[in-house]
């Protein structure tokens, strides 16, 4: 029984760590232990590790660790790609080893041995497509076409030159310091893909997220049906009620069924929990990026808009404060008037409340259907883009 509780505790700790690592920055977790654990995992633990290495092995060892960090985080490398292939390969291997002997079963047919392999294969193909496809590299040969395709909004994108590539920088593009190239409609650099997510491969990235979410759900449901089939075939409920005298009710059977499950099928159960957690995380990522595509926005532009709106709010508040101070000074220099009561001054409206609300004006939002169409069929793949001639200077 101690082993069962150990497995449950291990699963809970793993769940908390995964949620903290991936979702700790979400607004819902602000000020909670999840946010603090996220900061420790992403920053604190590494800082303590560097201090430990420097204290025990000296400054040379610390510099070696920092050089490895730069190689892994600031340059293209296949480290996370290998981890992805290891995760999906190991998960499928353990499912085959632990569960395929129960197929066909009470609820699953023989065909699932082959559909599962096909589903994993499609997932790997989408991974390779996203990893090795061109995200929409902006070069001297196509920059004029991109300049026409994505006009400047003069709010978060203004006319400028890329200081690294020495070419005009089209709106919605960004120079990726890791890949060392300008990418059209830049969303983010994905370490798992070892590639930028941009204009041309956003569709593959979305398909990757959606497919892997469904793949994990498929695996979790299949494992649940295998366990349910074994429960039915072995007549566990009948044995517990007839031979062990357990009352035939949900409340009485649940602890005994849980003990049977963790003793006999703990591998399948842990795999099922793991797949459910991953599917929920992937569903969250897919929902976030699908919502961006719905409004024709990117992750990079989301951060730009947040900075712009924050800056505009501070600017408006500063103007309102200056106007209020000027009015106060002019009032003091004018003729003496009856002093305002403390009651009225307490409930007087603050000038900062009258500051102008800053609205987001997304010039690139063309409506739901056109936005989605632009993601599925990028502008640079259309004949109108390919045949566009640059205007004479």
């Amino acid at each position: 029984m101690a082993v069962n509780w150990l497995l449950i505790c291990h699963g809970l700790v793993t769940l908390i760590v995964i949620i903290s690592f991936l979702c700790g920055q979400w607004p819902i977790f602000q000020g909670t232990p999840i946010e603090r654990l996220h900061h420790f995992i992403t920053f604190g633990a590494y800082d303590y590790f560097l201090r430990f290495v420097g204290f025990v092995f000296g400054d040379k060892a610390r510099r070696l660790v920092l050089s490895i960090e730069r190689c892994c985080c600031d340059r293209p490398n296949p480290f996370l790609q290998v981890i992805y292939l290891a995760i999906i390969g190991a998960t499928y291997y353990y499912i085959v080893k632990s569960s395929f002997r129960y197929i066909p079963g009470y609820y699953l047919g023989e065909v699932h041995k082959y559909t599962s392999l096909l589903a994993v294969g499609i997932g790997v193909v989408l991974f390779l497509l996203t990893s090795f496809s061109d995200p929409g590299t902006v070069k001297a040969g196509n920059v004029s076409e991109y300049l026409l395709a994505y006009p400047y909004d003069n709010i978060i994108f203004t006319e400028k030159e890329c200081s690294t590539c020495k070419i005009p920088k089209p709106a919605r593009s960004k120079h990726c310091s890791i890949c060392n190239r300008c990418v059209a409609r830049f969303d983010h650099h994905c370490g798992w893909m070892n590639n930028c997510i941009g204009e041309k491969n956003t569709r593959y990235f979305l398909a990757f997220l959606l497919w892997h979410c469904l793949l994990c759900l498929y695996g979790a449901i299949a494992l649940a049906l295998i366990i349910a089939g074994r429960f039915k075939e072995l007549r566990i409920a009948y044995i517990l009620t007839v031979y062990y005298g357990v009352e035939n009710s949900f409340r009485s059977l649940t602890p005994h069924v849980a003990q049977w499950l963790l003793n006999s099928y703990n591998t399948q159960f842990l795999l099922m929990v793991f797949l459910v957690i991953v599917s929920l995380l992937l569903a969250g990522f897919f929902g976030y990026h699908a919502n961006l595509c719905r409004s024709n926005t990117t992750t990079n532009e989301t951060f730009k808009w947040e900075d712009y709106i924050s800056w505009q709010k501070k600017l408006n508040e500063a103007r309102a404060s200056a106007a209020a101070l000027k009015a106060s000074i002019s009032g003091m220099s004018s003729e003496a008037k009856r002093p305002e009561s403390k009651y009225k001054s307490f409930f007087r409206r603050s000038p900062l409340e009258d500051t102008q609300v800053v609205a987001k004006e997304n010039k690139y939002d063309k409506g739901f259907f056109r936005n989605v169409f632009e993601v599925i069929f990028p502008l640079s793949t259309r004949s109108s883009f390919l045949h566009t001639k640059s205007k004479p200077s």
Side-chain angles (χ1 to χ4, degrees):
M1 193 67 181
V3 176
N4 297 339
W5 280 109
L6 184 63
L7 290 172
I8 293 173
C9 292
H10 177 269
L12 289 174
V13 170
T14 303
L15 174 62
I16 291 171
V17 169
I18 291 174
I19 292 176
S20 300
F21 177 67
L22 297 174
C23 313
Q25 288 183 308
W26 291 8
I28 193 175
F29 294 119
Q30 284 184 357
T32 65
I34 297 293
E35 183 188 30
R36 290 192 287 272
L37 183 58
H38 170 83
H39 184 271
F40 175 76
I41 294 172
T42 53
F43 298 104
Y46 181 65
D47 184 54
Y48 283 122
F49 173 71
L50 281 178
R51 293 181 185 181
F52 172 78
V53 170
F55 178 77
V56 176
F57 300 103
D59 196 51
K60 287 186 177 180
R62 184 175 177 276
R63 286 198 297 268
L64 176 62
V65 173
L66 289 172
S67 65
I68 294 173
E69 177 203 350
R70 284 192 292 271
C71 180
C72 293
C73 300
D74 299 333
R75 300 176 187 174
N77 68 85
F79 179 67
L80 289 178
Q81 289 175 300
V82 173
I83 290 181
Y84 160 79
L85 293 173
I87 290 173
I88 195 169
T91 303
Y92 186 70
Y93 169 78
Y94 280 111
I95 290 175
V96 170
K97 185 179 179 181
S98 64
S99 306
F100 268 35
R101 61 176 177 269
Y102 303 123
I103 301 177
Y106 193 87
Y107 294 110
L108 289 180
E110 183 83 17
V111 68
H112 289 280
K113 287 185 176 181
Y114 309 105
T115 56
S116 62
L117 180 60
L118 177 63
V120 171
I122 292 174
V124 173
V125 169
L126 290 172
F127 169 75
L128 295 175
L129 270 174
T130 311
S131 297
F132 297 103
S133 60
D134 177 21
T137 305
V138 181
K139 305 174 183 177
N142 61 11
V143 65
S144 58
E145 285 82 1
Y146 275 118
L147 288 169
L148 292 174
Y150 296 110
Y152 299 107
D153 62 358
N154 293 317
I155 302 177
I156 59 173
F157 294 110
T158 55
E159 187 174 352
K160 62 176 67 174
E161 182 184 86
C162 176
S163 58
T164 305
C165 299
K166 304 300 180 185
I167 57 175
K169 195 173 182 180
R172 313 192 75 185
S173 67
K174 183 180 178 182
H175 184 90
C176 177
S177 59
I178 298 176
C179 296
N180 194 28
R181 59 183 172 182
C182 283
V183 177
R185 199 182 180 277
F186 180 88
D187 190 274
H188 69 286
H189 181 90
C190 181
W192 291 99
M193 306 297 173
N194 193 27
N195 195 10
C196 289
I197 305 301
E199 185 220 16
K200 287 186 177 180
N201 64 352
T202 297
R203 49 185 173 173
Y204 301 138
F205 180 68
L206 284 170
F208 169 85
L209 291 177
L210 178 60
W211 185 262
H212 280 72
C213 175
L214 297 175
L215 177 63
C216 290
L217 281 177
Y218 172 49
I221 293 171
L223 288 169
L225 290 175
I226 287 173
I227 294 172
R230 295 299 296 165
F231 180 83
K232 196 82 173 178
E233 291 167 352
L234 297 175
R235 304 177 70 187
I236 301 299
Y238 176 80
I239 293 172
L240 288 173
T241 53
V242 174
Y243 291 97
Y244 290 91
V246 179
E247 182 184 347
N248 190 13
S249 65
F250 178 80
R251 186 174 182 179
S252 300
L253 286 172
T254 298
H256 298 281
V257 172
Q259 184 176 357
W260 164 78
L261 174 64
L262 293 174
N263 281 331
S264 303
Y265 298 96
N266 52 66
T267 302
Q268 289 86 345
F269 178 74
L270 290 175
L271 284 169
M272 183 175 65
V273 171
F274 170 74
L275 291 174
V276 169
I277 293 171
V278 175
S279 67
L280 291 175
L281 294 173
L282 288 172
F285 285 131
F286 174 77
Y288 171 77
H289 284 282
N291 184 58
L292 290 179
C293 292
R294 178 191 61 81
S295 58
N296 207 343
T297 312
T298 65
T299 304
N300 178 53
E301 291 168 7
T302 300
F303 292 132
K304 282 181 173 290
W305 276 113
E306 287 178 357
D307 293 340
Y308 172 78
I309 291 173
S310 176
W311 175 71
Q312 285 292 323
K313 283 182 179 178
K314 291 178 181 178
L315 187 62
N316 290 341
E317 288 175 359
R319 288 171 178 168
S321 298
L325 180 61
K326 184 178 180 181
S328 176
I329 294 173
S330 63
M332 291 173 61
S333 61
S334 62
E335 293 182 357
K337 58 180 181 178
R338 185 179 179 182
E340 188 177 29
S341 67
K342 292 182 179 180
Y343 178 81
K344 287 185 178 180
S345 63
F346 180 79
F347 288 101
R348 184 175 56 196
R349 185 180 180 86
S350 171
L352 296 181
E353 296 180 24
D354 297 323
T355 56
Q356 185 180 1
V357 177
V358 182
K360 177 180 175 180
E361 299 177 7
N362 184 9
K363 181 179 181 177
Y364 310 107
D365 188 353
K366 306 170 185 175
F368 175 77
F369 292 105
R370 291 184 66 184
N371 292 342
V372 173
F373 189 80
E374 185 176 315
V375 172
I376 299 174
F377 302 101
L379 296 178
S380 62
T381 62
R382 303 178 192 177
S383 57
S384 58
F385 179 93
L386 297 174
H387 295 136
T388 299
K389 301 296 183 181
S390 60
K391 294 182 180 180
S393 54

